[in-house]
Amino acid sequence: MMSARSKKLINRPSDILTEMLEGFALAHPDIVRLTDSGLIVRARPKQQGRVGLVIGNGSGHEPAMIGLVGEGLFDVNVPGPIFTAPGPDRIVEGIRLANRGAGVLLCVSHHAGDRMNAEIALDLCAAEGIGSVEMVLLYDDVSSAPRGSEPERRGTAGLFFTWKMLGAYAETGASLSEVKAMAERIRDNTRTLAVALTPGTNPVTGHVMFELPEDEIEVGMGVHGEVGRGRSKLVSADATIDLMLPQIIEDLPFRSGDEVLVMLNNSGSMTQMELFILYRQVSRRLGELGIVVAGSWIGPYATTQEMAGFALSLCRVDDSLKQLWAAPAHGAYCRF
């Protein structure tokens, strides 16, 4: 069986989250600030009268989501423990900090714990009289539920398209209902499929997430190593894209003449060399289908520690979405 990297340079496992956040905030003081309770917020708050954007997530996926806090992006990130959703009370605190007088949209990547805690947080907001708070559930993973059951799917790397463009839209002065509708629109035009070559390890427990034979890949795993559609023999880069891309294309479906944004997300230990070889085949196949690439995003954005693998995402765009895609953004790991 294939083994994962077990050596990590940390201090005490119990201090991982605190020390990681402190180091991140110290590295980017012009962009973010770390609150006493461990939330990442903008160093310069958004203008009054604009909708605030909040996201909570388990840690261990860096630079997601701390790297997407900043101008033109999120107002507040509520980091939870490793691979675990933050508690409702912390989410409520994040909503308070993000409120600039026009309401707050809580963005939730669809996983059971994240959804449950977000719903409790909204109940707490209502009980405390914190008004104008909405939640949007985001998902994109075609492997986790069949076509026609999209709301049951998991959130994965393709959600970065939503977060980038939504951040730009929230800066325009759009209302809370308009911002939520925009999130749903981008979500519904995004599809993702991932593969894993080797697993990652939990940095606190040291446990490998799953076992995978040397000559196989996991197709469709989630960002926490959740089981996917099944396993396949390890094949070439081109053959791997030829295995994945048709499943994504057929799911929306994407058609000739569509314009798309493409993301190849490094799950942790892929090399840029491998990613560019993979992207070459993606670009070539999309061209053969008459699908136009309007922009690409290649690199480590939502990682799963040192997992070797990647996620391929497509987002169908029009002129209005392309403007949001190209709009200024200033996060530590998202700059336009």
Side-chain angles (χ1 to χ4, degrees):
M1 302 294 281
M2 189 170 286
S3 62
R5 181 170 72 94
S6 59
K7 294 179 179 176
K8 291 181 186 281
L9 281 176
I10 60 175
N11 296 310
R12 291 175 295 277
S14 59
D15 295 335
I16 282 179
L17 179 58
T18 300
E19 295 181 351
M20 181 269 290
L21 292 173
E22 289 175 353
F24 174 74
L26 288 168
H28 302 286
D30 59 323
I31 300 174
V32 299
R33 176 173 63 84
L34 178 63
T35 69
D36 291 341
S37 56
L39 274 58
I40 294 291
V41 304
R42 286 191 191 190
R44 292 182 293 277
K46 179 183 284 178
Q47 181 180 344
Q48 282 288 344
R50 300 288 189 265
V51 172
L53 297 178
V54 175
I55 188 166
N57 62 277
S59 297
H61 303 294
E62 293 69 36
M65 303 301 167
I66 53 178
L68 269 79
V69 175
E71 296 176 23
L73 299 165
F74 282 109
D75 297 272
V76 177
N77 172 225
V78 186
I82 300 295
F83 301 148
T84 304
D89 289 342
R90 286 170 55 77
I91 297 173
V92 172
E93 182 184 357
I95 290 170
R96 289 196 194 98
L97 291 170
N99 192 350
R100 308 299 292 165
V104 175
L105 183 65
L106 176 61
C107 299
V108 181
S109 177
H110 192 197
H111 296 89
D114 294 84
R115 179 175 186 171
M116 180 185 70
N117 286 356
E119 290 175 342
I120 295 172
L122 261 63
D123 289 342
L124 292 174
C125 286
E128 293 182 22
I130 304 173
S132 299
V133 182
E134 294 280 348
M135 180 182 93
V136 62
L137 199 60
L138 301 173
Y139 40 79
D140 61 322
D141 178 17
V142 302
S143 76
S144 50
R147 188 178 177 192
S149 300
E150 286 83 358
E152 298 176 18
R153 291 177 169 175
R154 295 183 293 242
T156 57
L159 302 188
F160 275 78
F161 294 127
T162 303
W163 298 326
K164 165 63 186 74
M165 291 185 270
L166 191 65
Y169 191 59
E171 300 281 359
T172 66
S175 68
L176 178 57
S177 62
E178 291 171 331
V179 172
K180 182 177 180 180
M182 178 60 74
E184 293 170 340
R185 177 185 169 197
I186 302 168
R187 173 198 67 194
D188 293 343
N189 279 285
T190 302
R191 297 290 187 276
T192 295
L193 184 63
V195 300
L197 283 68
T198 64
T201 56
N202 186 308
V204 173
T205 65
H207 294 159
V208 175
M209 293 174 179
F210 54 89
E211 298 289 344
L212 190 61
E214 188 78 27
D215 62 344
E216 293 185 3
I217 59 174
E218 177 79 22
V219 180
M221 85 290 177
V223 293
H224 308 100
E226 298 97 330
V227 67
R229 283 184 168 173
R231 294 184 173 180
S232 178
K233 289 296 182 184
L234 177 65
V235 293
S236 69
D238 287 357
T240 301
I241 293 301
D242 289 344
L243 169 70
M244 299 169 68
L245 188 59
Q247 299 181 55
I248 297 171
I249 294 290
E250 293 165 8
D251 194 89
L252 192 59
F254 297 89
R255 295 188 173 91
S256 176
D258 281 347
E259 289 187 87
V260 298
L261 302 173
V262 180
M263 182 177 203
L264 277 176
N265 176 64
N266 182 351
S267 300
S269 66
M270 297 288 285
T271 65
Q272 287 298 99
M273 175 183 289
E274 292 170 288
L275 292 173
F276 288 134
I277 292 170
L278 291 162
Y279 181 77
R280 168 183 171 275
Q281 183 71 351
V282 173
S283 178
R284 185 159 62 181
R285 291 300 188 216
L286 290 176
E288 292 170 354
L289 294 168
I291 297 172
V292 178
V293 177
S296 59
W297 217 352
I298 302 171
Y301 295 98
T303 61
T304 308
Q305 296 297 292
E306 69 282 2
M307 179 186 288
F310 70 97
L312 170 60
S313 306
L314 300 184
C315 177
R316 183 167 57 195
V317 293
D318 58 14
D319 287 344
S320 63
L321 292 185
K322 286 191 292 184
Q323 288 181 359
L324 295 176
W325 167 257
H330 190 62
Y333 288 90
C334 183
R335 298 188 184 186
F336 279 68

